[in-house]
Each structure stands twice: as structure tokens, then as C-alpha cells.
Amino acid sequence: MRNTYDTADLRSRDAAHHWHPFSDSAALATEGVRVIVRGEGVWLEDSDGNRILDGMAGLWCTQIGHGRVEIADAVHRQMSELAFYNTFFKTSHPPAIALAEKLAQLTQPHLNRVFFCNSGSEANDTVIRLARTYWDVAGKPTKKTIISRRNGYHGSTIGGASLGGMGPMHAQGGLPIPGIVHIQQPYWFGEGGDLSSHEFGLKAARGLEAVIDALGEDTIAAFIAEPIQGAGGVIIPPDSYWPEIRRICSEREILLVVDEVICGFGRLGSWFGSDHFGLKPDLMPIAKGLSSGYLPIGGVMIADRVADVVFQGGDFNHGYTYSGHPAACAAALANLEIIEREGLVDRVRDDIGPYLQARWKALGEHPLVGEARMVGLMGALELVPNKPSRKDKFEPVGQVGTLCRDISFRNGLIMRAVRDSMILSPPLVLSHGEADDLIARATKTLDETWAELKRQGRIAA
Ligand SMILES: *Cc1c(COP(=O)(O)O)cnc(C)c1O
């Protein structure tokens, strides 16, 4: 037995002193947290010795799986050489230089520069300042408004949460900040009504055109979107959506910001979601899979046409003490080397992606599942009381999702609940055997959730 943890003791100390993100801390203190103590590959182990399949890759980020000592070795080497120096004031260091160069190689040819930060949220704060500064220097200072989408997620700082379109986040702390306008999301299952998914994709995209025209093109700086919304519930836009957005952006003079914090680094079976959907971003926030979460790091990839203008404006008065932190850059470089060496991006496109997708989509046959969708290794199951209807939802929203999530945890599989959909985004190293195991646990979870809902009288017996 490797397990030497006292769970009750850890729980009470956590409850006494640790305030958790996106949590009801009072309720959590009563319930007790689950303490994760170890990770290896797609598996986690908790303080009671339970093995759990990490279907969320940490938090959408652990592309290469847990416990890769190679990353620790790279970080150890870097910290032994130079643990920290900043990148302000005309200085740089080899890991930041090497990572910037590597990112320029991996991204589209017009993206040749990166601004480093420590998270996706900071990347999106950087986007706000950079997009507005671009138009100032370009001589169009009225172009300030950024268009975003309801139920998009762009982080939790004041800027990031304002760009995001999450109602419960806006309800706290006086958000969003001025100058951000939200349009409809391309969520056909939830909001498509009687339209076909094709028609609805066009309608949602044309919301962008309508807002640009209503506010005046001379007031709009940028449009920001995730290729596939992650935290919003793995919302895969209808096929008609991105081509129409591309048309609108090509006809209007605005910047296109593609938030690749989740979709980047192989998640969709391409290096970036932009490659998957044929988008040409002007600014491209990255984080999460950049280091597989081994150390915090993020950045914004900057198109040449933006850099060329902003460079004429002198100092860009923005930066973080840890922008391009040497140890984080070393972790990211080692992570990218593993992704390349193990061919993980192609593997998601050609092998494990199609393999898991076929089995995941078959879960759509379950009486509780209204839709099973997945691109690459990023998927969702919409739980509904009355299939095949898309209109009937569980009331109140979210309870059934939470129930299913808790049952899944008990069955040794981490899926996340968003409203009443179950979300999956496993490490890209998932083997075929582990995929079979995952599907078996998910099936058992759906069966048990179904049985429990029947028992509660929430669905017809
Ligand atoms: C997670 C996420 C962010 C925020 O990243 P943090 O590292 O949590 O600040 C931004 N955009 C998207 C699309 C994300 O999924």
C-alpha cells in the first residue's frame, strides 16, 4: 500500500483554510473535498487509494497525461541553471527564445510572435489591450468594442470574465466591463428551436454582422471566440457557422481573435482549432495544453499585420513579472517535444480520436442521452428527460448533471457536468483499452443515473 494519507485530516485542514475556485465553499466544507494525491498517464489516485480515470485531462490541459518525469527533469535542469529572470527591460533568456521560435513554427505562417503570460485569463486581458492598441496606432481610435458570445469562456480575470458570456460570473463583481458586446452562441441543441442546424449556424453567425452594422464598423475592434466552446459545454458549431463568420470578418475591418486555450495543442486532432476550421486568427490566445498544465504558462500569438502596426507605436505598456518564466518555458518545450515525438496530434486525428468518437456517439442510444457529440477528443452528452425531444429539459437545470457527475466519480471516471450535459476531454495519450474502460464506466454511470431518476420519479418508469 503506497497510500499513507489521512483523508479526514486533509479535509478538515482544507475546509479551514483553502478557498476554492468556482465552489460553494460553505457547502464544500461540510461535504469534504476529494484529495488527489498522484497521477500517472490517464489515471489519478485519491487519498483513499481509489484509481480514477481522468476524463478531463486535469482541466482540459494534460495532453501528455500525468506523471511524465521528463518534464520534471527539464524543469529541474532549467531551474538549476536559471530559475528566474524577467523579460522586461531589454532582456531575454534561452528557454523563452526557444519556445517563442517553436510556437512560430507550429502555428500558421502569418503568426510569428508570441507575448507570454501565465494563464489563459492573462492572455485574454492581453488581447483586450493589444486589440485596442492596434487600432489606436493604426489611427482608428474609435475602434474599441470587442464582440464576444454568450456562454463563451475566456477566463476569470475582470477582462477575461467580461469577454466571456457566463451569466453567473457577470452577476458577481459588476461585470462585464464597458466596451464588450455579446452575441448568440452557435448552440443548436440548446437554442436551435425549429431551425435545421445549418440554418441555425448561419443565423448565429449573422448576429455578428448585425451587431457590427448596428454599432458601426468604426467602433468595433475585434471578435473573439473559441473554435469549440469548452467550459460552455463542448458546443460544436454547425458546419455553416465558421465559414459564415469568415465571410463576415473578411468583409468588415475587424480583428479575429481565436481563443485556442482548449482547442490548441492537438485537442481536435490538429495543432490548433483554427487549422481544423480553416480560420486565420489575428490574435490567438493559448495556454492549458501548451505545458500540459505541468507549470502555468500562456501567451498570445500575434499576426504579422498586427505586430507590424503595434511596433510603430513604441512601448506596449503591458506585461507580467513572470511573462516567459524560464521554468514554465522549459516545461512547455519539453511538453511540445513529447507531443511531436509521440505524434499525438495525428494520433487524435487518425487513431484514438475516431476510435473514441465511435463509442462515445453510440452512447447517444441511451434513453437518457439526447445527443452525443465529439470532435477530436472533446465531447459532450446532452442528458434529457424525454428523448428524442430537444425541447424538454430537466428542471431545475443542473441537478441531473451534478447527480450524474457524482455517480461517475464513484465509478472511477471524471466527467464534468455543464448544466445537464456531461463533458469529456481526456489526455491525448488515452489507449484503446483505456477508451474501452472509459466507455464502460460512462455506460454504467448513465444506467445508474437513469435508475436513480426513475426512483425519484423524475422520469416516467
Ligand atoms: C480555461 C480557459 C481560459 C482561461 O485560462 P486560465 O488559465 O484558467 O486563466 C481562457 N479561454 C478558454 C477558452 C479557456 O478554456
Side-chain angles (χ1 to χ4, degrees):
M1 285 294 284
R2 291 192 296 171
N3 185 35
T4 55
Y5 293 93
D6 179 343
T7 301
D9 174 62
L10 288 165
R11 283 191 173 149
S12 74
R13 285 157 58 207
D14 188 88
H17 303 296
H18 183 188
W19 192 284
H20 289 261
F22 288 98
S23 302
D24 176 340
S25 288
L28 188 60
T30 318
E31 194 180 329
V33 291
R34 184 181 291 258
V35 184
I36 305 296
V37 297
R38 203 170 276 114
E40 193 180 345
V42 303
W43 296 96
L44 298 168
E45 188 183 312
D46 72 12
S47 53
D48 293 328
N50 298 305
R51 259 161 67 84
I52 309 156
L53 204 166
D54 182 8
M56 282 305 296
L59 204 46
W60 317 91
C61 52
T62 313
Q63 319 298 67
I64 61 170
H66 298 279
R68 307 290 296 251
V69 175
E70 193 178 331
I71 307 269
D73 291 343
V75 170
H76 180 266
R77 268 196 308 279
Q78 181 55 47
M79 290 184 84
S80 308
E81 188 83 19
L82 176 71
F84 175 68
Y85 196 69
N86 71 71
T87 53
F88 296 19
F89 318 133
K90 305 184 181 179
T91 59
S92 196
H93 47 66
I97 294 166
L99 181 59
E101 181 182 52
K102 184 77 208 170
L103 287 168
Q105 286 163 6
L106 291 175
T107 53
Q108 293 175 26
H110 70 290
L111 298 166
N112 286 303
R113 289 190 180 76
V114 62
F115 189 99
F116 284 121
C117 40
N118 308 289
S119 68
S121 301
E122 288 181 3
N124 282 314
D125 279 24
T126 302
V127 159
I128 296 175
R129 302 199 63 204
L130 201 45
R132 290 175 173 171
T133 302
Y134 167 81
W135 290 114
D136 283 343
V137 178
K140 299 189 174 173
T142 57
K143 287 172 80 65
K144 288 281 188 293
T145 297
I146 300 175
I147 302 172
S148 175
R149 304 181 303 180
R150 287 194 281 279
N151 198 40
Y153 188 78
H154 300 293
S156 201
T157 50
I158 287 179
S162 294
L163 287 175
M166 298 290 181
M169 293 179 76
H170 289 179
Q172 294 176 329
L175 301 184
I177 55 172
I180 294 169
V181 173
H182 297 86
I183 61 172
Q184 183 170 34
Q185 57 176 331
Y187 181 26
W188 176 75
F189 190 88
E191 300 178 2
D194 293 328
L195 297 179
S196 71
S197 91
H198 180 85
E199 291 166 336
F200 178 71
L202 292 177
K203 175 173 177 270
R206 286 174 189 157
L208 174 63
E209 194 167 38
V211 167
I212 296 173
D213 291 347
L215 299 178
E217 189 177 321
D218 58 342
T219 69
I220 309 296
F223 171 61
I224 182 169
E226 304 152 81
I228 291 176
Q229 286 152 265
V234 183
I235 291 164
I236 302 166
D239 290 342
S240 56
Y241 182 77
W242 278 116
E244 186 68 358
I245 293 281
R246 246 186 353 242
R247 175 191 67 76
I248 295 162
C249 288
S250 70
E251 289 174 14
R252 315 292 151 126
E253 203 188 16
I254 64 168
L255 299 179
L256 174 62
V257 186
V258 183
D259 184 339
E260 296 272 7
V261 171
I262 286 178
C263 294
F265 304 101
R267 176 60 52 200
L268 305 186
S270 51
W271 270 98
F272 296 94
S274 299
D275 308 332
H276 182 87
F277 289 109
L279 308 174
K280 193 177 173 198
D282 294 305
L283 297 172
M284 196 172 98
I286 52 177
K288 293 194 172 117
L290 168 57
S291 66
S292 276
Y294 277 69
L295 282 178
I297 184 167
V300 182
M301 297 303 301
I302 301 160
D304 293 339
R305 77 157 176 142
V306 174
D308 290 347
V309 169
V310 177
F311 277 14
Q312 292 164 28
D315 282 5
F316 180 44
N317 298 312
H318 177 76
Y320 305 98
T321 298
Y322 302 130
S323 285
H325 191 286
C329 288
L333 279 163
N335 171 59
L336 296 176
E337 196 182 309
I338 291 174
I339 293 177
E340 281 193 308
R341 190 195 329 129
E342 298 184 358
L344 294 183
V345 179
D346 289 351
R347 185 172 183 272
V348 172
R349 189 189 60 214
D350 302 330
D351 176 29
I352 189 62
Y355 187 85
L356 185 65
Q357 286 156 25
R359 284 152 186 77
W360 184 256
K361 286 178 186 169
L363 297 177
E365 302 298 316
H366 195 278
L368 189 55
V369 179
E371 182 180 82
R373 54 178 182 261
M374 183 175 277
V375 173
L377 286 186
M378 183 175 179
L381 303 172
E382 297 272 1
L383 307 187
V384 294
N386 201 3
K387 74 186 282 190
S389 169
R390 278 190 290 123
K391 293 200 179 116
D392 296 340
K393 309 255 166 17
F394 286 111
E395 295 286 344
V397 172
Q399 269 185 5
V400 172
T402 304
L403 171 72
C404 185
R405 183 197 60 197
D406 292 347
I407 291 173
S408 187
F409 231 129
R410 271 210 302 281
N411 288 329
L413 170 64
I414 295 181
M415 292 194 279
R416 176 168 165 183
V418 175
R419 297 177 302 277
D420 293 312
S421 35
M422 305 313 296
I423 304 303
L424 194 79
S425 173
L428 310 187
V429 294
L430 184 79
S431 71
H432 286 215
E434 287 161 347
D436 294 342
D437 193 343
L438 186 161
I439 293 297
R441 290 171 198 242
T443 305
K444 182 163 186 270
T445 297
L446 291 170
D447 288 345
E448 290 176 11
T449 306
W450 180 250
E452 175 61 21
L453 291 173
K454 268 188 176 166
R455 202 188 59 76
Q456 293 177 7
R458 298 189 63 168
I459 43 179

